[in-house]
């Protein structure tokens, strides 16, 4: 109620918070309505006064289940009608720096691309769908290519490849280039937030680089299992998240199902090979997609090419 005082420690951005109420610790994320009477920095501790409420249950099959979504991330309540009581001076300089980079990048995208295209790029680069046009989001989902809008293996591979090309091949020795790329990936994951696909891909990419640094071979299934273990340690609630399950089923399809097609005949190259990879991913994720979204796209295999 309005008479309760709540201590909140903001994490990666202003949406993430830990909330303490009457000596018991509960968590709240994403729907804390920030007051107009103050600006905060990442990592600051503030005392707010507001109205506490829980998330509602999903009413329609296939609809967004806010209680499950935020509950898997450890957040059970939301705070509204807030008023600032006190703000600490201490904050996280690193996370605030990353947040400023993200905010400035979003401003540049908006300025140069317009709101519609900037919303798409914001989702692709930073995993933030706040400014994504609803019709575009639904069209990507209906076509079975909504994963393009989620930060995952494709994005991590491109970014890490670019960073390593700049540092490992141009500016630094290869060993130092791998270290620089690992540091970049850590900062990038902190910037976009703990997203299931991004965390999985980043850990697997860092695992590959670690193998190269110590001159050992890279084993795909081991890297996948290791990233799953790391995710379970950092955010155990994500294991029940549909995004987590879809991400690991997709790479399982590439790791286990796709090679079985190659064993049937000669290995294919080019478009045929891409079709097999796309089919493997679509086939493995099909049950979860049907159970989560209640719809599938029969031509998603072709669109994924």
């Amino acid at each position: 109620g309005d008479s309760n005082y709540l201590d909140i420690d903001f994490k990666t951005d202003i949406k993430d918070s830990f909330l303490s109420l009457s000596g018991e610790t509960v968590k709240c994320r994403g729907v804390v309505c920030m007051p107009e009477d103050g600006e905060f920095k990442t990592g600051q501790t503030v005392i707010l006064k507001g109205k506490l409420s829980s998330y509602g249950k999903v009413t329609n099959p296939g609809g967004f289940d806010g209680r499950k979504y935020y509950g898997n991330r450890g957040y059970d309540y939301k705070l509204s009608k807030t008023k600032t009581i006190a703000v600490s001076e201490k904050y996280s300089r690193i996370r605030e720096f990353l947040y400023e980079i993200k905010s400035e990048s979003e401003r540049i995208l908006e300025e140069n691309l317009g709101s519609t295209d900037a919303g798409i790029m914001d989702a692709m680069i930073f995993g933030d769908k706040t400014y994504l046009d609803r019709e575009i989001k639904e069209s990507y989902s209906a076509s079975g290519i909504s994963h393009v809008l989620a930060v995952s293996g494709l994005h991590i591979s491109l970014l890490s490849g670019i960073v390593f090309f700049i540092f490992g091949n141009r500016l630094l020795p290869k060993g130092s280039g791998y270290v620089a790329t690992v540091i970049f990936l850590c900062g990038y994951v902190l910037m976009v937030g703990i997203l299931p696909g991004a965390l999985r891909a980043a850990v697997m990419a860092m695992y590959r680089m670690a193998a190269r640094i110590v001159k050992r071979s890279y084993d795909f299934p081991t890297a996948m299992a290791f990233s799953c273990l790391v995710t379970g340690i950092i955010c155990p609630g994500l294991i029940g998240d549909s995004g987590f399950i879809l991400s690991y089923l997709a790479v399982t399809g590439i790791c286990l199902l796709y090679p079985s097609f190659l064993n049937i005949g000669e290995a294919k190259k080019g478009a045929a090979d891409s079709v097999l990879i796309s089919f493997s991913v679509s086939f493995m994720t099909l049950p979860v997609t049907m159970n989560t979204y209640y719809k599938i796209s029969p031509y998603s295999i072709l669109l994924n090419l």
Side-chain angles (χ1 to χ4, degrees):
D2 291 338
S3 61
N4 292 328
Y5 288 86
L6 310 168
D7 298 328
I8 298 183
D9 174 27
F10 290 99
K11 293 172 63 185
T12 53
D13 59 31
I14 225 65
K15 298 176 183 176
D16 293 358
S17 61
F18 286 101
L19 181 149
S20 176
L21 174 64
S22 302
E24 296 182 2
T25 300
V26 294
K27 297 180 181 179
C28 176
R29 172 193 167 103
V31 288
V32 177
C33 301
M34 301 315 303
E36 298 179 356
D37 58 349
E39 294 184 0
F40 306 106
K41 294 182 178 180
T42 309
Q44 279 184 321
T45 298
V46 305
I47 298 177
L48 300 178
K49 181 180 180 181
K51 184 178 181 180
L52 187 71
S53 59
S54 60
Y55 296 94
K57 292 183 178 180
V58 63
T59 54
N60 296 317
F64 176 69
D65 191 342
R67 178 174 295 184
K68 181 179 179 181
Y69 177 83
Y70 291 111
N72 287 339
R73 286 155 176 78
Y75 304 102
D76 303 312
Y77 301 93
K78 55 185 176 181
L79 189 68
S80 59
K81 299 180 181 179
T82 56
K83 180 180 179 181
T84 305
I85 305 300
V87 182
S88 69
E89 295 183 1
K90 185 179 179 180
Y91 66 96
S92 173
R93 296 185 182 275
I94 294 177
R95 289 183 293 176
E96 178 65 19
F97 174 71
L98 294 173
Y99 182 77
E100 289 176 356
I101 292 178
K102 178 183 176 183
S103 299
E104 179 63 17
S105 300
E106 291 174 335
R107 185 195 65 79
I108 294 173
L109 289 173
E110 172 75 23
E111 187 177 280
N112 290 275
L113 299 179
S115 58
T116 301
D117 290 338
I120 296 174
M121 294 301 295
D122 197 11
M124 289 183 174
I125 299 173
F126 301 110
D128 187 355
K129 298 183 177 64
T130 305
Y131 307 105
L132 184 63
D133 186 82
R134 183 174 181 179
E135 291 184 1
I136 292 177
K137 184 178 180 180
E138 290 178 352
S139 67
Y140 272 76
S141 177
S143 302
I145 55 173
S146 58
H147 59 86
V148 175
L149 299 175
V151 178
S152 59
L154 172 65
H155 310 74
I156 296 294
S157 298
L158 287 171
L159 288 172
S160 60
I162 292 171
V163 173
F164 179 75
F165 176 79
I166 295 173
F167 289 96
N169 291 335
R170 302 289 179 180
L171 302 178
L172 300 171
K174 277 195 173 182
S176 301
Y178 288 131
V179 174
T181 307
V182 168
I183 294 174
F184 168 82
L185 287 177
C186 291
Y188 181 71
V189 171
L190 280 176
M191 180 187 294
V192 302
I194 307 298
L195 305 175
L199 184 59
R200 176 199 59 76
V203 173
M204 291 184 69
M206 288 186 274
Y207 190 93
R208 178 187 289 273
M209 293 173 198
R212 291 178 177 175
I213 292 174
V214 299
K215 298 181 179 180
R216 298 292 297 272
S217 60
Y218 172 77
D219 183 64
F220 194 103
T222 305
M224 184 171 61
F226 178 74
S227 67
C228 184
L229 176 65
V230 172
T231 303
I233 294 173
I234 296 177
C235 299
L238 287 181
I239 295 178
D241 188 81
S242 60
F244 173 90
I245 299 172
L246 287 170
S247 179
Y248 278 91
L249 282 178
V251 292
T252 300
I254 297 174
C255 176
L256 299 180
L257 186 58
Y258 166 65
S260 68
F261 290 114
L262 301 182
N263 293 333
I264 296 175
E266 294 294 328
K268 303 294 183 181
K269 300 296 181 182
D273 189 54
S274 298
V275 170
L276 291 177
I277 294 176
S278 181
F279 175 79
S280 300
V281 172
S282 299
F283 183 81
M284 288 296 295
T285 57
L286 181 61
V288 178
T289 301
M290 295 175 66
N291 184 63
T292 304
Y293 301 106
Y294 285 79
K295 59 184 176 181
I296 59 173
S297 171
Y299 46 86
S300 62
I301 296 175
L302 296 177
L303 289 178
N304 275 302
L305 296 178

